Amino acid sequence: MNAPAHPDARMVGDINPATGERFFEIPETDLAQMPAIMEKARAAQKAWADKSFHERASHIYLMRRYIVDHAEEIAGIVSQSNGKTLTDALATEVLPCALACNWYAKNAEKHLKPRMRRGGHLLFFNKRTMMLRLPLGVVGIISPWNYPLSIPFGEIVMGLMAGNAVLLKVAAATPAVGRAIENIIAAGQLPDGLFTHIVGSGSKVAGAFFDNRIDKLFFTGSVPAGKTLMAQAAETLTPVSLELGGNDAMLVLKDADLERAANGAAWGGYQNAGQSCGGVERIYVEAPVYDQFVTLLASKTRALRHGVGCRDHSVDIGSLTTEGQLRTVQQHLEDALAKGARIEAQSQPVGDQNGLFHPATLLTNLSDDMLTVCDETFGPLLAVQKVADLDEGIRRANASNLALTSSVWTRNTRLGKEVAARLEAGVTTINDHLYTHGLSETPWGGWKESGIGRTHGPEGLEEMTHAKVVNWDMLPAKRNLWWYPFDDTTWQGLLNALRFAFPSNLGQWLSASMKLTPFLVRKMFTGWKTDD
């Protein structure tokens, strides 16, 4: 399960970012062992791929049972490692993992089983095609610290149900969650070597993956890191799936239910201390309801409590996870204030504040040159701007190089769907935000620099497989009509086939079909006589 470490390996520690307490450590993997790890994974994968979907699912259900039975313990580990609250960890990490086990175990066969493909034209009446979805082999997953459990675990289950072996590298900031994942996988009683947890530097592990010919890499992280990995992968033409973050827009229309919209903005923007790639960052509100919306959201922001979330349920927002991310949030806030932004409201501190805390902060009087508007903040800052009308809101929402998710808030569902189709994002929700990452049946991924590929749902399962075409003749034909030898008869036969397929009138079709039939019989059902 856990990859072998060198006797003198460096220990990777896990420090609770809300308290500063070191509570876990694990040795780095000896990457010199990667060829042996890969060999073992490939051997295990071959046997695993021979199992039926039902047999694979039985292992996944054991993992689901473990998750449910140990929910409190797992949520506690995530809270300590990442800094989010216990409730946040349970709702957005533990619950989605159980749901993922359930959906992929039940639905993988439905979406990955062999399928017959209908013929495209009568000309190929004798051909039959079947589509296969075959396992990739060994897939690598490099996961982030913001959702250290639910992001990699969903991909692990997809990979396993598709018939692959999995090598996982969790974020350096959250190694304790990697051990928790090991325990969940162990409950599934998988073949030895089918899953391995790799500990170490992301760039070094990625290099070891590519050097040892991993079959595909799934990465969630920053845009710069994703571009670097993609360049590395190009050297070996290793396929990649990249989810690289967002600067997601929320569009509040003048007919919206403002109470729901304000509640949704507070949760979508401040949840996980704002460290959600699909969370709300920019809010555009139509002018007639702007003041009322800001007043509502300000009151809800002030009512929120930030503090240590791993001890009890007396706080709403935990800490940020890394010192670097806290500095980024502080820099974005300082930049906005220096350029004229105004703080409308902030959350209230509760208890000790020795960790990496930043208050939930509602900003107005913004301009598009501010970092928190034009870049991904990835923290508990919400930037609210007034727009004159719907068209301006859509234009400004789309004015970003990141396009992961977005949302539109309106009482008119028909209008909401029309607006959703115009918003440039991989996911757009109506009167909600962010939660679709927890829906196993719903694909997740973005446009522009938000990434490449999809995880979750049928599309995510397909990303874990090779598409293979199997085609055959249903008749005992000797030759296809375009095979040798070439002569005037072949030329005319092909022309008649074209005119039969796409006639300009009925007369042409009748003439072509009468000439084509004897040609097909002669060409396809008689041998090719040669002088030898």
Side-chain angles (χ1 to χ4, degrees), residues 430-445:
I430 300 172
N431 297 325
D432 215 326
H433 203 107
L434 181 61
Y435 76 103
T436 62
H437 187 272
L439 302 181
S440 301
E441 70 274 16
T442 303
W444 182 262

PDB file of all heavy atoms in Angstrom, residues 430-445:
ATOM      1  N   ILE A 430     -27.613  26.598 -11.732  1.00  0.00           N
ATOM      2  CA  ILE A 430     -28.668  27.599 -11.595  1.00  0.00           C
ATOM      3  C   ILE A 430     -29.141  27.589 -10.145  1.00  0.00           C
ATOM      4  O   ILE A 430     -29.571  26.554  -9.623  1.00  0.00           O
ATOM      5  CB  ILE A 430     -29.838  27.306 -12.557  1.00  0.00           C
ATOM      6  CG1 ILE A 430     -29.339  27.324 -14.009  1.00  0.00           C
ATOM      7  CG2 ILE A 430     -30.967  28.326 -12.368  1.00  0.00           C
ATOM      8  CD1 ILE A 430     -30.363  26.848 -15.021  1.00  0.00           C
ATOM      9  N   ASN A 431     -29.023  28.726  -9.490  1.00  0.00           N
ATOM     10  CA  ASN A 431     -29.420  28.894  -8.089  1.00  0.00           C
ATOM     11  C   ASN A 431     -28.662  27.978  -7.137  1.00  0.00           C
ATOM     12  O   ASN A 431     -29.181  27.542  -6.110  1.00  0.00           O
ATOM     13  CB  ASN A 431     -30.936  28.693  -7.921  1.00  0.00           C
ATOM     14  CG  ASN A 431     -31.724  29.740  -8.679  1.00  0.00           C
ATOM     15  OD1 ASN A 431     -31.312  30.890  -8.790  1.00  0.00           O
ATOM     16  ND2 ASN A 431     -32.854  29.338  -9.233  1.00  0.00           N
ATOM     17  N   ASP A 432     -27.426  27.685  -7.477  1.00  0.00           N
ATOM     18  CA  ASP A 432     -26.542  26.912  -6.620  1.00  0.00           C
ATOM     19  C   ASP A 432     -25.125  27.083  -7.140  1.00  0.00           C
ATOM     20  O   ASP A 432     -24.921  27.637  -8.241  1.00  0.00           O
ATOM     21  CB  ASP A 432     -26.942  25.438  -6.593  1.00  0.00           C
ATOM     22  CG  ASP A 432     -26.717  24.795  -5.221  1.00  0.00           C
ATOM     23  OD1 ASP A 432     -25.741  25.186  -4.546  1.00  0.00           O
ATOM     24  OD2 ASP A 432     -27.518  23.932  -4.821  1.00  0.00           O
ATOM     25  N   HIS A 433     -24.151  26.598  -6.365  1.00  0.00           N
ATOM     26  CA  HIS A 433     -22.763  26.736  -6.817  1.00  0.00           C
ATOM     27  C   HIS A 433     -21.901  25.686  -6.127  1.00  0.00           C
ATOM     28  O   HIS A 433     -22.140  25.326  -4.969  1.00  0.00           O
ATOM     29  CB  HIS A 433     -22.225  28.140  -6.492  1.00  0.00           C
ATOM     30  CG  HIS A 433     -21.072  28.554  -7.357  1.00  0.00           C
ATOM     31  ND1 HIS A 433     -21.184  29.497  -8.360  1.00  0.00           N
ATOM     32  CD2 HIS A 433     -19.786  28.135  -7.391  1.00  0.00           C
ATOM     33  CE1 HIS A 433     -20.017  29.654  -8.958  1.00  0.00           C
ATOM     34  NE2 HIS A 433     -19.150  28.828  -8.382  1.00  0.00           N
ATOM     35  N   LEU A 434     -20.907  25.188  -6.864  1.00  0.00           N
ATOM     36  CA  LEU A 434     -19.814  24.366  -6.350  1.00  0.00           C
ATOM     37  C   LEU A 434     -20.159  22.906  -6.081  1.00  0.00           C
ATOM     38  O   LEU A 434     -19.332  22.030  -6.282  1.00  0.00           O
ATOM     39  CB  LEU A 434     -19.250  25.004  -5.058  1.00  0.00           C
ATOM     40  CG  LEU A 434     -18.076  24.300  -4.362  1.00  0.00           C
ATOM     41  CD1 LEU A 434     -16.874  24.229  -5.288  1.00  0.00           C
ATOM     42  CD2 LEU A 434     -17.693  25.029  -3.078  1.00  0.00           C
ATOM     43  N   TYR A 435     -21.389  22.610  -5.697  1.00  0.00           N
ATOM     44  CA  TYR A 435     -21.711  21.285  -5.150  1.00  0.00           C
ATOM     45  C   TYR A 435     -21.602  20.154  -6.157  1.00  0.00           C
ATOM     46  O   TYR A 435     -21.521  18.986  -5.764  1.00  0.00           O
ATOM     47  CB  TYR A 435     -23.125  21.290  -4.566  1.00  0.00           C
ATOM     48  CG  TYR A 435     -24.223  21.244  -5.603  1.00  0.00           C
ATOM     49  CD1 TYR A 435     -24.914  20.070  -5.863  1.00  0.00           C
ATOM     50  CD2 TYR A 435     -24.547  22.374  -6.347  1.00  0.00           C
ATOM     51  CE1 TYR A 435     -25.898  20.012  -6.823  1.00  0.00           C
ATOM     52  CE2 TYR A 435     -25.530  22.330  -7.316  1.00  0.00           C
ATOM     53  CZ  TYR A 435     -26.207  21.159  -7.552  1.00  0.00           C
ATOM     54  OH  TYR A 435     -27.169  21.118  -8.516  1.00  0.00           O
ATOM     55  N   THR A 436     -21.624  20.433  -7.473  1.00  0.00           N
ATOM     56  CA  THR A 436     -21.651  19.327  -8.445  1.00  0.00           C
ATOM     57  C   THR A 436     -20.383  18.482  -8.409  1.00  0.00           C
ATOM     58  O   THR A 436     -20.378  17.363  -8.932  1.00  0.00           O
ATOM     59  CB  THR A 436     -21.879  19.825  -9.881  1.00  0.00           C
ATOM     60  OG1 THR A 436     -20.798  20.677 -10.272  1.00  0.00           O
ATOM     61  CG2 THR A 436     -23.199  20.573  -9.992  1.00  0.00           C
ATOM     62  N   HIS A 437     -19.307  18.979  -7.798  1.00  0.00           N
ATOM     63  CA  HIS A 437     -18.124  18.139  -7.641  1.00  0.00           C
ATOM     64  C   HIS A 437     -18.447  16.911  -6.796  1.00  0.00           C
ATOM     65  O   HIS A 437     -17.807  15.860  -6.929  1.00  0.00           O
ATOM     66  CB  HIS A 437     -16.984  18.928  -6.994  1.00  0.00           C
ATOM     67  CG  HIS A 437     -15.684  18.190  -6.957  1.00  0.00           C
ATOM     68  ND1 HIS A 437     -15.326  17.342  -5.938  1.00  0.00           N
ATOM     69  CD2 HIS A 437     -14.667  18.144  -7.840  1.00  0.00           C
ATOM     70  CE1 HIS A 437     -14.148  16.814  -6.173  1.00  0.00           C
ATOM     71  NE2 HIS A 437     -13.707  17.286  -7.327  1.00  0.00           N
ATOM     72  N   GLY A 438     -19.459  17.018  -5.945  1.00  0.00           N
ATOM     73  CA  GLY A 438     -19.865  15.894  -5.114  1.00  0.00           C
ATOM     74  C   GLY A 438     -20.850  14.957  -5.773  1.00  0.00           C
ATOM     75  O   GLY A 438     -21.227  13.942  -5.178  1.00  0.00           O
ATOM     76  N   LEU A 439     -21.279  15.273  -6.988  1.00  0.00           N
ATOM     77  CA  LEU A 439     -22.205  14.400  -7.721  1.00  0.00           C
ATOM     78  C   LEU A 439     -21.386  13.477  -8.608  1.00  0.00           C
ATOM     79  O   LEU A 439     -20.845  13.905  -9.628  1.00  0.00           O
ATOM     80  CB  LEU A 439     -23.176  15.225  -8.563  1.00  0.00           C
ATOM     81  CG  LEU A 439     -24.045  16.237  -7.823  1.00  0.00           C
ATOM     82  CD1 LEU A 439     -24.978  16.952  -8.812  1.00  0.00           C
ATOM     83  CD2 LEU A 439     -24.867  15.559  -6.725  1.00  0.00           C
ATOM     84  N   SER A 440     -21.309  12.225  -8.236  1.00  0.00           N
ATOM     85  CA  SER A 440     -20.456  11.291  -8.974  1.00  0.00           C
ATOM     86  C   SER A 440     -20.861  11.154 -10.430  1.00  0.00           C
ATOM     87  O   SER A 440     -20.020  10.871 -11.293  1.00  0.00           O
ATOM     88  CB  SER A 440     -20.493   9.916  -8.292  1.00  0.00           C
ATOM     89  OG  SER A 440     -20.060   9.993  -6.965  1.00  0.00           O
ATOM     90  N   GLU A 441     -22.148  11.344 -10.720  1.00  0.00           N
ATOM     91  CA  GLU A 441     -22.631  11.163 -12.090  1.00  0.00           C
ATOM     92  C   GLU A 441     -22.350  12.357 -12.993  1.00  0.00           C
ATOM     93  O   GLU A 441     -22.554  12.297 -14.207  1.00  0.00           O
ATOM     94  CB  GLU A 441     -24.140  10.891 -12.077  1.00  0.00           C
ATOM     95  CG  GLU A 441     -25.012  12.082 -11.688  1.00  0.00           C
ATOM     96  CD  GLU A 441     -25.207  12.246 -10.196  1.00  0.00           C
ATOM     97  OE1 GLU A 441     -24.436  11.640  -9.418  1.00  0.00           O
ATOM     98  OE2 GLU A 441     -26.138  12.969  -9.801  1.00  0.00           O
ATOM     99  N   THR A 442     -21.860  13.472 -12.415  1.00  0.00           N
ATOM    100  CA  THR A 442     -21.704  14.721 -13.158  1.00  0.00           C
ATOM    101  C   THR A 442     -20.240  14.968 -13.492  1.00  0.00           C
ATOM    102  O   THR A 442     -19.401  15.036 -12.577  1.00  0.00           O
ATOM    103  CB  THR A 442     -22.240  15.902 -12.325  1.00  0.00           C
ATOM    104  OG1 THR A 442     -23.602  15.647 -11.990  1.00  0.00           O
ATOM    105  CG2 THR A 442     -22.158  17.193 -13.104  1.00  0.00           C
ATOM    106  N   PRO A 443     -19.882  15.134 -14.760  1.00  0.00           N
ATOM    107  CA  PRO A 443     -18.472  15.370 -15.109  1.00  0.00           C
ATOM    108  C   PRO A 443     -17.965  16.688 -14.548  1.00  0.00           C
ATOM    109  O   PRO A 443     -18.716  17.653 -14.411  1.00  0.00           O
ATOM    110  CB  PRO A 443     -18.475  15.367 -16.637  1.00  0.00           C
ATOM    111  CG  PRO A 443     -19.883  15.641 -17.038  1.00  0.00           C
ATOM    112  CD  PRO A 443     -20.736  15.059 -15.968  1.00  0.00           C
ATOM    113  N   TRP A 444     -16.685  16.716 -14.259  1.00  0.00           N
ATOM    114  CA  TRP A 444     -16.041  17.878 -13.655  1.00  0.00           C
ATOM    115  C   TRP A 444     -14.804  18.250 -14.463  1.00  0.00           C
ATOM    116  O   TRP A 444     -13.964  17.416 -14.748  1.00  0.00           O
ATOM    117  CB  TRP A 444     -15.645  17.552 -12.214  1.00  0.00           C
ATOM    118  CG  TRP A 444     -15.014  18.698 -11.482  1.00  0.00           C
ATOM    119  CD1 TRP A 444     -13.679  18.921 -11.301  1.00  0.00           C
ATOM    120  CD2 TRP A 444     -15.689  19.781 -10.829  1.00  0.00           C
ATOM    121  NE1 TRP A 444     -13.479  20.059 -10.584  1.00  0.00           N
ATOM    122  CE2 TRP A 444     -14.708  20.617 -10.268  1.00  0.00           C
ATOM    123  CE3 TRP A 444     -17.030  20.117 -10.666  1.00  0.00           C
ATOM    124  CZ2 TRP A 444     -15.014  21.775  -9.560  1.00  0.00           C
ATOM    125  CZ3 TRP A 444     -17.347  21.263  -9.953  1.00  0.00           C
ATOM    126  CH2 TRP A 444     -16.343  22.076  -9.415  1.00  0.00           C
ATOM    127  N   GLY A 445     -14.715  19.508 -14.828  1.00  0.00           N
ATOM    128  CA  GLY A 445     -13.565  20.006 -15.573  1.00  0.00           C
ATOM    129  C   GLY A 445     -13.907  21.333 -16.207  1.00  0.00           C
ATOM    130  O   GLY A 445     -15.076  21.740 -16.233  1.00  0.00           O
TER     131      GLY A 445
END
